[in-house]
Amino acid sequence: MFIRDYGLGCLGGAWGIHDLDAAQFFLDTDDTTPIEIEGRALYYEDVRDVPYSWTVEQKYASGPTVIHMDLVTAKARAKQFELGGMASVVTGTKGWIWVSRQGVRTEPESLAKIVIGANEKRVLFSDDHLRNFIDAIRKKQPPISPIGAAVHAETMCQQSDIAMRLRRKLRWDPKAERFINDEHANRMLSRAIRTPWSYTI
């Protein structure tokens, strides 16, 4: 988990991907990724080579910005994170919504009481992800977390890592899945493979 060859620590698959997946879902951007990425991080100074503290801003072509932070930084920056552990906070013109494994809180509280209309967008419900996955296979129905959405959330983690390591703002082409005019950053999307192994991107 703490060695970059295998993971990105809490920035990526350990925790971060879950919050970024939720942010993608809230913004209805599961089919794309941000186009601008900029961040800063503090890294462990021992055998671990992943960040323990970070703030990354990722802007979408449609306008919204996702700010991804470690929990200590988040608690210092936004009061909502005092409500519990890792979470996603959506801030809008009428208030905010805090979503985590511990539940949902809103400000004002009335946001949680809004009734969803018959023709408004609804979400899939699952309180048993293993069953949902098996049902998706057996019944050929969409899972609560489609693979494309998961890939895009993981792409956001990788974008974050590369931008922080390079210490500069990066621009991304979501269609080509490449950084724009930055071959150094693009080289960091994969690593050299020893012969006789190879792969095609």
Side-chain angles (χ1 to χ4, degrees):
M1 177 172 146
F2 293 106
I3 305 297
R4 190 168 177 264
D5 283 350
Y6 307 101
L8 297 177
C10 289
L11 171 70
W15 287 105
I17 191 171
H18 301 294
D19 298 316
L20 291 174
D21 181 57
Q24 287 270 95
F25 176 78
F26 299 147
L27 295 171
D28 197 19
T29 54
D30 277 344
D31 61 345
T32 190
T33 47
I35 60 165
E36 289 182 0
I37 309 95
E38 186 171 23
R40 57 194 175 281
L42 298 174
Y43 294 86
Y44 291 105
E45 295 182 7
D46 50 29
V47 69
R48 297 168 291 184
D49 61 354
V50 297
Y52 65 85
S53 175
W54 67 88
T55 301
V56 181
E57 294 194 14
Q58 295 174 289
K59 184 176 181 181
Y60 292 86
S62 57
T65 297
V66 168
I67 302 173
H68 184 208
M69 299 169 277
D70 64 277
L71 187 55
V72 173
T73 302
K75 283 183 175 180
R77 184 166 172 173
K79 64 180 182 178
Q80 295 93 334
F81 287 95
E82 293 299 332
L83 295 170
M86 299 300 288
S88 295
V89 176
V90 179
T91 304
T93 57
K94 296 181 179 179
W96 52 260
I97 302 170
W98 175 89
V99 180
S100 82
R101 293 178 184 208
Q102 291 83 38
V104 177
R105 299 270 188 85
T106 65
E107 180 63 43
E109 289 184 14
S110 60
L111 285 175
K113 296 175 181 154
I114 295 173
V115 176
I116 299 171
N119 295 323
E120 291 183 290
K121 184 175 180 182
R122 293 180 177 269
V123 299
L124 294 173
F125 173 79
S126 170
D127 57 3
D128 184 344
H129 291 343
L130 179 58
R131 170 55 48 201
N132 173 261
F133 179 69
I134 291 170
D135 285 346
I137 295 169
R138 288 183 175 163
K139 299 176 183 177
K140 299 189 183 335
Q141 63 189 30
I144 193 165
S145 184
I147 188 64
V151 167
H152 287 131
E154 177 58 26
T155 297
M156 292 176 70
C157 296
Q158 300 296 327
Q159 289 173 331
S160 298
D161 179 61
I162 293 169
M164 291 186 303
R165 288 182 184 279
L166 293 177
R167 298 181 183 170
R168 63 176 182 262
K169 182 186 286 189
L170 299 174
R171 292 174 54 241
W172 178 260
D173 180 338
K175 298 277 189 218
E177 296 186 335
R178 307 280 293 170
F179 292 105
I180 298 170
N181 298 325
D182 197 324
E183 283 312 305
H184 187 182
N186 283 324
R187 282 195 303 275
M188 294 173 76
L189 291 170
S190 62
R191 62 185 68 167
I193 294 181
R194 64 183 174 83
T195 55
W197 313 107
S198 65
Y199 64 84
T200 303
I201 295 181

